[in-house]
Amino acid sequence: MRTKTMIHTFKRYQTLITHRITALPIAIIMPHSACNCKCVMCDIWKGNKNSKQLEEADIRSLLISLEKLQTKRVLMSGGEALLNKNFFTFCKIIKSYGIKITLLSTGLTLARHAENIIANVDEVIVSLDGDELFHDQIRNIKGAYAELRNGVRAIKALKPNYEIKARTVIHRYNYKNWREIILAAREIGLDGISFLPADVSSEAFNRPETWEKERQESVLIARENLAELQTIVDGLIHEFADLFESRYIAESPNKINKIVQYYSAHHGLNAFPQKLCNAPWVSAVIEADGTLRPCFFLEAQGNIKEASLEVLLNKTEQINFRKKLNTNTHPTCIKCVCSLNLSPRNHQF
């Protein structure tokens, strides 16, 4: 095992130096393009009538490359991954290769699938947008919060130590409810929570074109509310100091403050927060139609239905793309709401 770890570490250093992918620790797979929520800050659901999904043959073909690239974890994202009727078949195939699975879910159908999730998924991350009232309003689904809570409790009833965490997008509609979101996560029985600002400037999340200014402003926290946002953040850092210390809240106080900086930057008051990110060197996103991207936000690199993942990642133009990519200056990366930065020695994923 030690030898395998050393080889994997070496290959990851080699990837960073040569820009040729010889090890890919993380793969993000979208089994289904549709979503069972209609969130105010996301357009994925608007494409539900033309939904696409991966097939078992796609997963089996993909696993040939993931095995060669020594992938350690697959994140099942979407849309809502559980909408694919073959989801648990996919999980069984992936886990047979010794790869761990994280499910990113709206949480609406966790109770229905509780036993299968425990048997086939290593951990779950759910979306939480507010307390019950705000969550349902932002999701545009009546009873969404109750379904999420029931699902978490159904899984915990079967396996109390099963890890379920939440991820929250903070924006105009819920920033005033931030404190209540943390309390809701505790009330539901979640094992932790993380926060990020809303992406309004990329073509991710089923946007054929970037949002026009008016649509962006409908989600951005307004300039006149930035002082209030800072006051709220200061209050959270003080009131929930123990949750920051224990890492129940995943971000540090400094990183939480960067959400204020992000929204201030959209109003031209400061630069966007700098981020360390090597996502295109350590991960890949495979969408429900087979489209390959270096991350959620950057341009497509091909399609796994036309060539293997390994071949696509290491085409000359993609190697050159990584060589030239500076995440501190690329216009998409500058405004990115999240980042992934894995050291070659980091195997905790």
Side-chain angles (χ1 to χ4, degrees):
M1 180 64 71
R2 181 178 174 83
T3 301
K4 287 184 178 180
T5 300
M6 290 176 65
I7 292 172
H8 184 72
T9 299
F10 171 76
K11 286 186 174 183
R12 288 172 61 187
Y13 274 115
Q14 189 179 40
T15 293
L16 293 176
I17 293 168
T18 66
H19 304 284
R20 183 177 183 84
I21 306 293
T22 54
L24 189 77
I26 297 174
I28 299 97
I29 299 175
M30 300 179 181
H32 206 288
S33 66
C35 189
N36 49 12
C37 287
K38 299 179 180 179
C39 300
V40 296
M41 66 289 187
C42 177
D43 287 344
I44 289 176
W45 59 274
K46 293 181 179 180
N48 283 0
K49 290 183 179 180
N50 300 307
S51 63
K52 300 175 179 64
Q53 59 184 327
L54 295 173
E55 304 294 339
E56 183 176 335
D58 299 319
I59 299 298
R60 291 192 181 279
S61 175
L62 188 59
L63 262 295
I64 295 172
S65 290
L66 295 185
E67 184 179 33
K68 289 180 181 178
L69 296 171
Q70 299 180 339
T71 299
K72 304 299 182 183
R73 184 174 291 273
V74 164
L75 277 66
M76 293 294 212
S77 184
E80 172 55 61
L82 290 170
L83 290 175
N84 191 310
K85 64 180 181 180
N86 294 315
F87 175 77
F88 293 109
T89 298
F90 295 171
C91 291
K92 288 180 174 70
I93 296 169
I94 292 167
K95 288 183 74 66
S96 72
Y97 284 76
I99 299 173
K100 293 183 179 180
I101 297 175
T102 297
L103 169 63
L104 309 181
S105 175
T106 63
L108 291 183
T109 62
L110 293 184
R112 186 189 316 166
H113 298 297
E115 291 186 5
N116 267 323
I117 287 172
I118 291 170
N120 298 289
V121 177
D122 294 284
E123 64 175 5
V124 174
I125 299 174
V126 295
S127 298
L128 179 64
D129 295 300
D131 58 15
E132 187 161 8
L133 176 64
F134 274 82
H135 183 81
D136 287 5
Q137 287 179 346
I138 290 167
R139 295 263 133 191
N140 274 310
I141 298 291
K142 186 177 181 180
Y145 183 91
E147 292 290 354
L148 169 59
R149 179 178 55 206
N150 293 341
V152 171
R153 292 179 178 176
I155 291 173
K156 293 286 189 178
L158 295 172
K159 190 175 181 180
N161 65 344
Y162 188 90
E163 190 164 278
I164 311 174
K165 295 183 178 180
R167 180 173 295 165
T168 299
V169 177
I170 295 294
H171 46 74
R172 177 189 288 260
Y173 298 98
N174 68 353
Y175 77 94
K176 293 182 181 181
N177 197 235
W178 201 334
R179 177 179 181 272
E180 287 70 27
I181 294 170
I182 296 171
L183 296 177
R186 304 277 279 177
E187 185 268 334
I188 289 172
L190 295 167
D191 297 298
I193 189 167
S194 63
F195 299 98
L196 70 163
D199 169 60
V200 299
S201 57
S202 80
E203 295 181 6
F205 310 110
N206 194 41
R207 300 170 193 156
E209 297 178 354
T210 54
W211 280 346
E212 295 181 356
K213 185 177 181 181
E214 183 178 357
R215 181 71 174 95
Q216 291 185 28
E217 290 179 347
S218 72
V219 174
L220 289 172
I221 296 173
R223 179 171 181 155
E224 59 267 25
N225 296 132
L226 292 175
E228 181 184 26
L229 175 63
Q230 185 66 67
T231 299
I232 289 170
V233 167
D234 292 342
L236 296 176
I237 292 170
H238 175 74
E239 180 178 358
F240 298 109
D242 58 330
L243 299 186
F244 283 101
E245 180 68 25
S246 68
R247 298 301 300 273
Y248 182 88
I249 297 175
E251 291 76 19
S252 66
N254 179 56
K255 197 166 184 180
I256 289 292
N257 266 305
K258 288 185 177 181
I259 294 178
V260 182
Q261 295 174 34
Y262 170 85
Y263 283 112
S264 297
H266 269 289
H267 295 291
L269 300 178
N270 51 249
F272 283 92
Q274 282 198 323
K275 296 170 287 293
L276 293 174
C277 183
N278 59 7
W281 291 266
V282 299
S283 66
V285 175
I286 298 95
E287 298 181 349
D289 64 353
T291 297
L292 171 67
R293 295 181 185 274
C295 76
F296 282 105
F297 307 100
L298 292 172
E299 298 82 0
Q301 295 181 333
N303 194 296
I304 64 161
K305 295 178 183 292
E306 299 170 358
S308 74
L309 175 65
E310 188 179 12
V311 167
L312 291 173
L313 288 173
N314 290 312
K315 291 172 66 175
T316 301
E317 54 265 42
Q318 298 313 324
I319 292 174
N320 289 336
F321 171 79
R322 288 187 288 272
K323 283 181 180 178
K324 295 175 182 178
L325 178 61
N326 184 335
T327 57
N328 289 317
T329 59
H330 190 284
T332 298
C333 298
I334 289 173
K335 296 182 180 180
C336 187
V337 298
C338 63
S339 62
L340 175 65
N341 188 53
L342 284 180
S343 161
R345 293 185 178 276
N346 183 352
H347 296 271
Q348 303 302 311
F349 39 77

